[in-house]
Amino acid sequence: WSGVYGEDGVEVQRVAAIELASSAFRFVSPANLHAYEFSWSPNSGQVVMVAAAPPGENNWWVARLYVQSVGGGPVENERERESVCGTKPGCGYGSSVGYPAAILDPSRVSGPLHGLQIAVPRFSPDGKQIAFIGGLMSDQGSTGGDVYLISTTGGEPKDVTPNRSNSPAWIAWRDNHSLLISEHTGGSSHITALDLDTGKDIPSVNLTLPETIIAGTDAMSLSTSNTANVALIRQSFDHAPEVWAGPIDNLKQITHLNDTLKPAWGKAESIDYTNEGLHIQGWLLYPAGWSPNGGDPAKKYPLIVSVHGGPSAAVTPRWPGVAYGSVPFSALGYFVFLPNPRGSFGQGEKFTQANIRDFGYGDLRDVLAGVDLLEKRFPIDKDREGITGWSYGGYMTMFAVTQTTRFRAAVAGAGLANWQSYYGENSIDQWMIPFFGASVYDDPAVYAKSSPITFIKRVKTPTLIVVGDRDGECPAPQSFEFWHALRDQGVKTQLVLYPNEGHHFVSPDHQRDVLKRAVDWFEAEMPPK
C-alpha cells in the first residue's frame, strides 16, 4: 500500500464478454462492482454473479447475488444510472439499461443464511431458478455450506439441504429437478446428486474419495460434459496430481505425468472420535517405514500436530507442494496429526458454525482430545510433541501454547496474537463479523477472550514465528507482538520476517527456508532421549 490509503488504486474486477464472430470486447458488469465469480444463463442472455462494492480483497464477505443482462452493455455507475433513469422506479436495475439486479443480500434476509457468505451461483436449465451455496466461509474459494435455491427475480432463498451431515462445496444442474454436488465428508471428498423434489440423494451417483479433487479455481469443482462424463484432478497423500475422466462410477486416469513419484512419508489413516458430543475426524500420517515400535518395545515416536487454516476449511489428503506443510515430518520419523476440529467443513453447517464467538476453546479441546486418543493407541513420546500451523493454524498454535504446556515446541506461521489489534491492522476485516458477532468496537471483550496475548504470561513453550512482511490477511505486526511478548517473558523464541512475501509465500527459496527452520526447531527443542 502507498498513497492515499484505501483510495488510490482500488482493485475492481469486472465481467466482460467477447463476441466470437467479431472479437468485439465489452464490459458486462459495471465499474463500481467487484465481481468474484459468475456463470451464464441457459440462453446466454444473462449472467449471475457474486459481487460487492470495492475493494474486492475485503468485501467478498458482504457480497450480494446479482443478475446482469449481457446485451447492450451496463450503466457504469449509480450517477450514470440516475442520469438515464431519473426517478423512474426500477429503471436501470435489470432493465434494458443493463444495470445488474441485486436479487439477494444476505445481510437483509431472515433465517440461517442471514449475514453469511454466498458462492458458486448457477442458473437452472429452464432459467427460472438460481442455485448457490451459502454458509459460514472464512476465505473465498474455500467453499462450504448448504445448497439454496432462489428465483431469478429474487425473493426468499430456500435451503434445500438443511441439517445435511456433509458440507457441499460445488454444484452443477443435471436437469431442472436435480443437482450434481461435490462436498466435504469428514476429511474426504464425496460426489453425489440431489433430487430437489424429494430432498434426497440419488443413489446411482455416489462416490467417496479419500482425496482432494478440483477441476478449476472453485474448491472441489468438477468439469462436466453434455454426456454425463466428468473430468477432475485427483491427488492424495499417496498419489501426486493426475487428470481423471469418465462416468462418475467408472473414472479412468487420463494423464500419467507423475506416475514415477512415490511418497517418502508414511501411510495415512483416518482418525475418528467423539468429543463433547461432536464427531471429529482427522488424518494421521505414520512415520516413514513404520513398524510397531520398530522391533523395540520401548521405542517411542515424536508427534507433530498441524492445525489447518480457515477456520472454515478441511484437511483432505493431498500431495504436498513446496509451501510449508507438515507432511515432510512424517518422512523424518514423526507421527503427524492433521485434525478437522469444530469450525471445519465436512460435518455439516452446524459443525462449521460451532466455533462462532469461541475461537481457540472448543476447537482446541477437539484437537487435544485427538492427541489423547493417539497417545493411547500409538507409541508416542509425550515429551516430544509439537504443534504448528499457518494462518488460522498459526493462531491456534499461538493460542495453544497459552492454554497448555504439553507441547514442547511450536512453529507459528502467519499467526494472530491479538484479535483486538488485528481488527484494525488487516485488510480483510469484513470476514470477522460473522465469526465474532460484532465489530471489535462494539464488543471488544469477545475479541480479547480469544486472543493469545491475553494469556501470554502462561507460555513456556519455545516458539518459532514466521511471517511475510506484506501479509495483509495476517499482518506481520501480529507476529511481532507475540515474539516481543515471549521475549519479555524469557521464553525461547525467534521471529523470521520474509521480505516481499504475502500470506502465501511465492519464493521457492523462502518456502524451503521456512521448512528447514521448522525442522531444525523441532529437532532442537524435541531431541530424542
Side-chain angles (χ1 to χ4, degrees), residues 265 286-288 304 324-336 388 411 515 518-520 522-523:
W265 40 91
Y286 285 66
I304 298 293
Y324 177 65
S326 54
V327 173
F329 288 99
S330 170
L332 299 174
Y334 292 79
F335 278 102
V336 177
T388 188
V411 177
L515 179 58
V519 168
D520 291 346
F522 283 121
E523 289 186 346

Side-chain angles (χ1 to χ4, degrees), residues 14-221:
R14 301 172 68 183
V15 179
I18 298 175
E19 295 291 343
L20 295 182
S22 64
S23 297
F25 170 96
R26 70 178 186 279
F27 284 111
V28 172
S29 63
N32 62 343
L33 279 180
H34 185 102
Y36 298 95
E37 53 184 324
F38 75 95
S39 64
W40 287 97
S41 65
N43 64 4
S44 299
Q46 296 175 303
V47 294
V48 57
M49 60 184 180
V50 175
E57 181 184 23
N58 191 34
N59 287 348
W60 176 75
W61 293 273
V62 293
R64 301 176 181 180
L65 194 64
Y66 291 87
V67 172
Q68 168 76 62
S69 172
V70 175
V75 173
E76 288 294 292
N77 53 51
E78 184 69 10
R79 181 176 296 174
E80 182 181 348
R81 188 194 71 81
E82 290 177 356
S83 69
V84 171
C85 302
T87 59
K88 195 180 300 180
C91 175
Y93 293 92
S95 71
S96 59
V97 175
Y99 200 86
I103 65 170
L104 175 64
D105 181 350
S107 70
R108 296 180 180 272
V109 300
S110 58
L113 187 62
H114 177 74
L116 299 183
Q117 288 68 58
I118 53 177
V120 200
R122 300 287 187 264
F123 271 100
S124 61
D126 61 10
K128 295 180 179 180
Q129 298 185 94
I130 293 169
F132 64 92
I133 294 174
L136 185 68
M137 307 177 217
S138 47
D139 293 285
Q140 185 198 358
S142 180
T143 303
D146 284 341
V147 180
Y148 287 83
L149 297 179
I150 189 172
S151 168
T152 54
T153 59
E156 192 72 16
K158 177 185 177 182
D159 187 347
V160 295
T161 57
N163 303 313
R164 191 171 182 85
S165 59
N166 299 330
S167 301
W170 179 90
I171 53 175
W173 288 87
R174 300 171 80 231
D175 52 49
N176 287 316
H177 302 279
S178 65
L179 289 169
L180 183 65
I181 297 175
S182 65
E183 58 187 354
H184 298 278
T185 176
S188 296
S189 302
H190 181 229
I191 302 172
T192 186
L194 180 69
D195 186 324
L196 296 175
D197 295 329
T198 66
K200 297 180 179 179
D201 288 2
I202 297 173
S204 61
V205 184
N206 184 16
L207 177 64
T208 299
L209 301 169
E211 304 170 0
T212 295
I213 62 174
I214 197 167
T217 57
D218 292 334
M220 300 190 72
S221 56

Side-chain angles (χ1 to χ4, degrees), residues 12 50 193 232 269 358 360 365 377 397 411 433:
V12 178
V50 175
L232 65 158
E269 178 184 340
D358 192 50
R365 294 195 299 273
R377 288 184 53 186
T397 299
V411 177
I433 304 298

